Amino acid sequence: MTTRDVGSSAPGFRAAADTGDGPGPGVAPQPFADVLMSDLLVSPTLVAGATGTSREVSNVAVMAVPDIGPWLRTGQLLLTTSAVLGRLVEPIDAFLARLDRRGVSGLAVRLDDPTATLPAEMSHAADELGLPVVVVADLYSQAHPLAGALAESSARQVDAVFEADRLRRVLVDVVMAGGGFAELAVAVHGELGGAVLITTPDGRQLCRAGDESELNRLASSAALDSTGRVRTDSTEGGLGLHRLGDEFLAVSAISANGIDHGRLVHFSTGHPLRSEDLNLVEQAAAVCALVVARELVVSSVEEKHRANFVRDLLLGRGGEHEHVAAHAKTFGWDLDRPVVVVVIEPDPVDEDEPSIPTRMPLVERQARAFTSAVAGRDTGAAVTALATETVILMGVGTDTLNLVHELVAYVRGDGGGGRMPFGVGVSRPTDSVDGIPALYGQARTALKVGRQITGAWAVTHFDDLGVYRLLSLVEDDRELESFASETLRELTADTPEAQDMRRTLEVLLATNINIAETARQLHFHYNTLRYRVVKLEKMLGSFTDHPELRLDLSLALKIMAMRGINFLKLPISPGTHWQILLTPGG
């Protein structure tokens, strides 16, 4: 959007007319009070928001249509009429609050009825916000140098509204004919050109349309991350106009029922995108929301049945194998084959405050992401969002765990776009639905223990747990902590020296006290390691001669790894366990 610097008759006052192409260079902001003294406004009378007259004005625009959002700018003096304000959908106080959030400096209103006054709630809201509001005899002086540019800006807003209405009608016809996202993307491309993407809220592509050259350019653009996601991890989910060198993006949210369901992205290299282009993309996104609403109505009942069916399977209430397999086929699932259970659960972290519109629940977002990921790899897999987790029943392949890692990599992307961390547990296989409840327990155990050992983004197979499976069955955490603390003693300290000695002990136990091999793995001199062994035995007892003590030490180290215990807070008392672990000469 270009702006033109134009002087006024008020000494030192410079402003710019907003013509829709972006902020122009060289604009010198001036206080709103100076604008009142200039000859731009015709007979201005300050009626509200007097405390905000020090706000700086850097550009001027006419509000010719109620939906002024795409044309709002920081430092803007907005000129409008009472007739336009009367067509607002939102309450006037909410409108003024939106202007204030967008950094608008003031509002000038021409009363279409000379005997009328501004509503009391408008004056009250303006005073509360400190947003100056003036009443003028005309929008602006026709003799002022800005007059031509302001008239052009007003005409372009009106043209944009008519063009948006025409686009909306075209797209609604597509939806009424049964079209979905793919058909809408093609239609939007046909109207706007460039490349068009429809994505999830975190930028994962659902469908796209455009000329091959534009799509190829988009694929290598900085607008996408290394996994092909649109970068939506910027302010407000990446919404609005963006410029990346000679590439331009207009991004709008697809919102239905107050929930954020995705993004509509228009990518162009042919010409800079303007406020009018963003307005068209926002109108197209509103039509995309109709498809979402339609699909939600259709899928809500089906999803409830699917979730109830899977929940019964996990609880062992599914029925006979043949009955379950037949019922699963009605959902497009193949359970008449060996399957594994995969459980995905969001990691327990505080999610950021929800943006506007509100995002759908995290588990549902993750379930949709995994549904998309699985679709191209196992068409018969069952993916269901339960209350706190996503459950997948998928076929057994030659390397199931690698496939799970592929799914996680697809859903996670490169970590941007607001992706929330999650843990994954994978069970053993079963060839009968009767075994699914046990497999679910295995996957839950793998998820829980893997998260304790690895932390965020853990992907753990039940068969990889080893002794951790047994440790996870101990419900009394304090008993485990006490055992580890009494066994490892000073090595539980959270100090670099204790951590270094624990690492030495781990490798010693892993090599069955092979001094030479341990020294090689830790890059120590043989004599240095011998000295460390002596030091460790003074602290822990003669573990080189007592297999039972080595077992205790190994278990204690695994407890530390699994529980992430801060042993600095645990008392170490020289009691019975201490005496038993010490041996003569230890």
Side-chain angles (χ1 to χ4, degrees), residues 324-521:
V324 170
H327 194 175
K329 286 186 183 298
T330 65
F331 298 130
W333 301 339
D334 182 6
L335 299 185
D336 194 16
R337 56 176 177 164
V339 297
V340 297
V341 175
V342 181
V343 176
I344 302 102
E345 183 180 70
D347 284 340
V349 296
D350 294 331
E351 189 170 3
D352 295 337
E353 288 296 320
S355 58
I356 299 175
T358 304
R359 305 178 74 182
M360 71 171 60
L362 178 56
V363 172
E364 291 187 29
R365 300 202 309 266
Q366 291 182 345
R368 289 192 175 194
F370 275 98
T371 298
S372 177
V374 171
R377 296 169 173 83
D378 185 351
T379 56
V383 184
T384 308
L386 301 181
T388 60
E389 64 191 8
T390 298
V391 175
I392 304 177
L393 306 177
M394 57 187 291
V396 178
T398 55
D399 197 339
T400 302
L401 191 58
N402 273 349
L403 176 57
V404 173
H405 278 289
E406 287 182 18
L407 300 178
V408 171
Y410 176 88
V411 173
R412 181 180 179 181
D414 68 356
R419 260 81 77 197
M420 302 299 293
F422 51 81
V424 180
V426 185
S427 75
R428 291 170 172 170
T430 182
D431 56 5
S432 171
V433 296
D434 293 337
I436 288 179
L439 265 58
Y440 175 63
Q442 293 175 6
R444 286 292 313 166
T445 298
L447 169 64
K448 175 185 174 183
V449 177
R451 175 179 287 157
Q452 292 171 333
I453 299 171
T454 309
W457 302 106
V459 180
T460 311
H461 195 287
F462 182 73
D463 283 339
D464 294 335
L465 294 181
V467 72
Y468 290 115
R469 286 169 49 195
L470 299 178
L471 294 176
S472 68
L473 297 177
V474 180
E475 297 181 356
D476 189 346
D477 287 348
R478 291 198 59 81
E479 183 61 30
L480 288 175
E481 294 170 358
S482 176
F483 174 81
S485 140
E486 294 169 356
T487 302
L488 293 174
R489 307 179 189 178
E490 300 99 303
L491 293 191
T492 60
D494 190 17
T495 64
E497 181 182 4
Q499 293 172 5
D500 186 38
M501 294 300 286
R502 284 202 303 270
R503 173 61 179 158
T504 300
L505 178 61
E506 287 174 351
V507 180
L508 276 168
L509 294 174
T511 61
N512 198 25
I513 318 299
N514 187 321
I515 305 297
E517 176 61 18
T518 301
R520 187 190 67 79
Q521 290 190 25

Side-chain angles (χ1 to χ4, degrees), residues 39-51:
D39 60 356
L40 172 65
L41 302 179
V42 181
S43 303
T45 302
L46 184 64
V47 296
T51 58

Side-chain angles (χ1 to χ4, degrees), residues 155-451:
R156 287 177 62 171
Q157 286 182 32
V158 175
D159 289 343
V161 169
F162 281 110
E163 179 62 20
D165 183 65
R166 189 190 69 79
L167 175 65
R168 184 168 53 251
R169 291 173 184 272
V170 170
L171 298 182
V172 167
D173 286 344
V174 173
V175 176
M176 295 299 290
F181 280 159
E183 292 77 11
L184 283 176
V186 171
V188 174
H189 160 68
E191 295 293 326
L192 305 184
V196 175
L197 299 178
I198 296 179
T199 78
T200 60
D202 62 355
R204 184 166 34 85
Q205 295 185 37
L206 299 177
C207 59
R208 63 181 188 169
D211 300 329
E212 195 64 29
S213 60
E214 289 282 350
L215 292 175
N216 289 338
R217 179 73 177 269
L218 175 61
S220 60
S221 169
L224 305 185
D225 67 19
S226 59
T227 67
R229 291 175 183 261
V230 177
R231 297 185 184 276
T232 60
D233 48 348
S234 57
T235 305
E236 297 181 352
L239 304 179
L241 293 171
H242 305 273
R243 178 173 183 172
L244 305 170
D246 60 349
E247 301 170 347
F248 302 88
L249 289 171
V251 185
S252 179
I254 299 174
S255 173
N257 300 327
I259 302 295
D260 185 3
H261 291 276
R263 299 286 181 269
L264 178 62
V265 181
H266 180 213
F267 175 82
S268 173
T269 58
H271 63 84
L273 298 180
R274 307 176 304 185
S275 298
E276 290 88 341
D277 298 303
L278 178 60
N279 187 44
L280 292 175
V281 172
E282 290 174 344
Q283 297 301 322
V287 179
C288 289
L290 296 178
V291 174
V292 173
R294 182 184 66 192
E295 292 180 350
L296 287 176
V297 171
V298 174
S299 66
S300 59
V301 175
E302 292 181 352
E303 183 58 36
K304 182 178 180 180
H305 285 307
R306 286 193 292 263
N308 288 339
F309 175 66
V310 170
R311 192 175 290 109
D312 284 343
L313 281 181
L314 301 181
L315 294 176
R317 302 188 309 216
E320 298 295 329
H321 180 93
E322 293 75 13
H323 169 75
V324 170
H327 194 175
K329 286 186 183 298
T330 65
F331 298 130
W333 301 339
D334 182 6
L335 299 185
D336 194 16
R337 56 176 177 164
V339 297
V340 297
V341 175
V342 181
V343 176
I344 302 102
E345 183 180 70
D347 284 340
V349 296
D350 294 331
E351 189 170 3
D352 295 337
E353 288 296 320
S355 58
I356 299 175
T358 304
R359 305 178 74 182
M360 71 171 60
L362 178 56
V363 172
E364 291 187 29
R365 300 202 309 266
Q366 291 182 345
R368 289 192 175 194
F370 275 98
T371 298
S372 177
V374 171
R377 296 169 173 83
D378 185 351
T379 56
V383 184
T384 308
L386 301 181
T388 60
E389 64 191 8
T390 298
V391 175
I392 304 177
L393 306 177
M394 57 187 291
V396 178
T398 55
D399 197 339
T400 302
L401 191 58
N402 273 349
L403 176 57
V404 173
H405 278 289
E406 287 182 18
L407 300 178
V408 171
Y410 176 88
V411 173
R412 181 180 179 181
D414 68 356
R419 260 81 77 197
M420 302 299 293
F422 51 81
V424 180
V426 185
S427 75
R428 291 170 172 170
T430 182
D431 56 5
S432 171
V433 296
D434 293 337
I436 288 179
L439 265 58
Y440 175 63
Q442 293 175 6
R444 286 292 313 166
T445 298
L447 169 64
K448 175 185 174 183
V449 177
R451 175 179 287 157

